[in-house]
Amino acid sequence: MDELAAAYAACREINAAHGTSFYRATSLLPPGRRRHIWALYAVARRSDDIVDNPTVDTDPAVVLSQWEFQVLSALASSTTPADPVLRALRHTVLTHGIPTRLFEEFFDSMRRDLTTTRYRTWGDLRRYMRGSAAVIGEMTAPVLGASDAGLPHAATLGEAFQLTNFVRDIAEDWQRGRIYLPLNDFRDSGCSEDELGRCVATGTSSPSLRRLVAFEIARARDLYAAARPGIGEVDPVVRPCLQVAFGLYAEILSEIERSGLEVCRAHDRPDRPARRRHRPVARRRSAAAFQRRHATIVSNTSANPKPRSSTGA
């Protein structure tokens, strides 16, 4: 295995260890594209871990600043980084022309997580999500073959995924001292921060917290609906991956609804049971194989003397 392949393998291991719905969906991508998504995710995952799981006796602000410097330096330098994750990232960014400013926006939001624990309005939260979620969608867009016109849909899908996580993880975030859902929405639902704390402590969501969750689920579904046209703007061979991602994340919302909008039950994180999660993945994997075969046939019969690779490698 050469150094670049080993670098991407390291990114895959990070995805497999930490990803759930996301990793299963990306498994449907052609290998030549899959590895680029894994590289982007590995950098985001390492950044999240610095903020959410700081090492004892370290200052996460300092560690994050050092990591940001390493990332941006790797993208600006002509020298191959020693860190395998950064080696893979640099290759991905150069291959697909991903703008460095997106990483700068991403780190701006990561720094905000170190100092900001509440968001008053949906507009305030969405400004944070611009760097923490929307830019991730824009980073992946060129890997998936989306044009500039598809960037807004990619950004909105990133927001939909993150809002889904915020709803699912409200108890976990509270235990970390954070509330991501807008405080104005708490007020309108009749729920207070103290009430949320009591719900987390007892493992049972109150009626007002359930109203808040229902409202945020509806908002997330609106984001999914706004992002869905983006499926038609990426290369056909990667559409099965996006369709599965839509389904898996949307099912998290459905699981919460089936639980009676319960988001505080201890050790019962709303997610799809393994068997049910794998069924649509298996179906889409067959669809992905068909799409790849079809793309290969089309390219081989094209009049273009240099047909585009069906794997995107």
Side-chain angles (χ1 to χ4, degrees):
M1 181 182 294
D2 63 29
E3 287 189 353
L4 186 59
Y8 279 112
C11 294
R12 184 200 66 78
E13 291 175 5
I14 293 172
N15 279 255
H18 294 281
T20 51
S21 300
F22 183 82
Y23 180 67
R24 282 188 293 275
T26 57
S27 71
L28 301 180
L29 289 171
R33 304 198 196 201
R34 187 189 311 160
R35 62 180 187 168
H36 296 303
I37 300 297
W38 287 343
L40 294 170
Y41 177 90
V43 171
R45 180 72 263 171
R46 189 177 288 184
S47 305
D48 281 341
D49 285 344
I50 291 171
V51 173
D52 291 339
N53 303 299
T55 305
V56 177
D57 297 328
T58 62
D59 183 344
V62 172
V63 177
L64 182 65
S65 179
Q66 293 170 339
W67 173 236
E68 178 183 8
F69 178 78
Q70 293 175 47
V71 171
L72 298 181
S73 295
L75 300 182
S77 174
S78 59
T79 304
T80 301
D83 186 315
V85 169
L86 297 182
R87 189 181 306 132
L89 176 70
R90 182 174 180 275
H91 181 258
T92 289
V93 168
L94 291 176
T95 299
H96 293 284
I98 300 172
T100 301
R101 63 171 175 78
L102 297 179
F103 294 91
E104 294 169 350
E105 289 187 74
F106 170 75
F107 280 108
D108 282 344
S109 281
M110 290 299 97
R111 279 192 297 276
R112 193 175 307 174
D113 257 335
L114 296 173
T115 57
T116 302
T117 60
R118 303 290 189 275
Y119 295 90
R120 186 175 62 85
T121 68
W122 170 236
D124 293 336
L125 178 61
R126 206 165 190 187
R127 279 187 287 277
Y128 163 78
M129 292 169 68
R130 166 62 200 166
S132 63
V135 300
I136 302 298
E138 292 183 7
M139 289 176 190
T140 63
V143 178
L144 303 180
S147 65
D148 289 346
L151 291 181
H153 292 124
T156 301
L157 183 58
E159 291 178 323
F161 287 164
Q162 188 167 61
L163 183 57
T164 297
N165 289 339
F166 287 160
V167 174
R168 180 194 62 193
D169 298 337
I170 187 170
E172 181 179 334
D173 289 331
W174 167 263
Q175 291 167 334
R176 286 194 172 112
R178 298 189 193 130
I179 295 177
Y180 285 104
L181 300 181
L183 296 183
N184 279 1
D185 296 347
F186 271 80
R187 181 201 62 202
D188 293 345
S189 301
C191 188
S192 67
E193 292 187 40
D194 288 343
E195 183 174 345
L196 172 60
R198 288 192 294 272
C199 293
V200 174
T202 61
T204 303
S205 297
S206 65
S208 60
L209 179 56
R210 292 171 199 261
R211 284 195 295 273
L212 171 67
V213 169
F215 177 81
E216 302 299 350
I217 285 176
R219 172 177 277 159
R221 287 212 165 104
D222 286 344
L223 290 173
Y224 284 114
R228 185 165 289 279
I231 293 178
E233 295 167 344
V234 301
D235 291 338
V237 74
V238 305
R239 289 175 190 167
C241 167
L242 278 185
Q243 291 165 341
V244 165
F246 266 87
L248 289 173
Y249 275 87
E251 181 62 14
I252 292 172
L253 301 177
S254 297
E255 286 284 339
I256 294 172
E257 289 175 323
R258 283 192 287 272
S259 75
L261 302 173
E262 178 56 74
V263 290
C264 292
R265 189 170 300 131
H267 309 299
D268 190 20
R269 174 169 145 146
D271 202 350
R272 299 195 69 185
R275 221 170 11 187
R276 294 177 61 192
R277 282 195 301 256
H278 290 299
R279 286 177 192 158
V281 172
R283 288 198 298 268
R284 292 299 182 184
R285 184 172 288 115
S286 298
F290 172 81
Q291 291 277 13
R292 288 197 290 271
R293 287 195 298 271
H294 177 70
T296 301
I297 293 170
V298 170
S299 66
N300 287 341
T301 56
S302 172
N304 188 336
K306 292 185 178 180
R308 182 175 183 176
S309 169
S310 65
T311 65

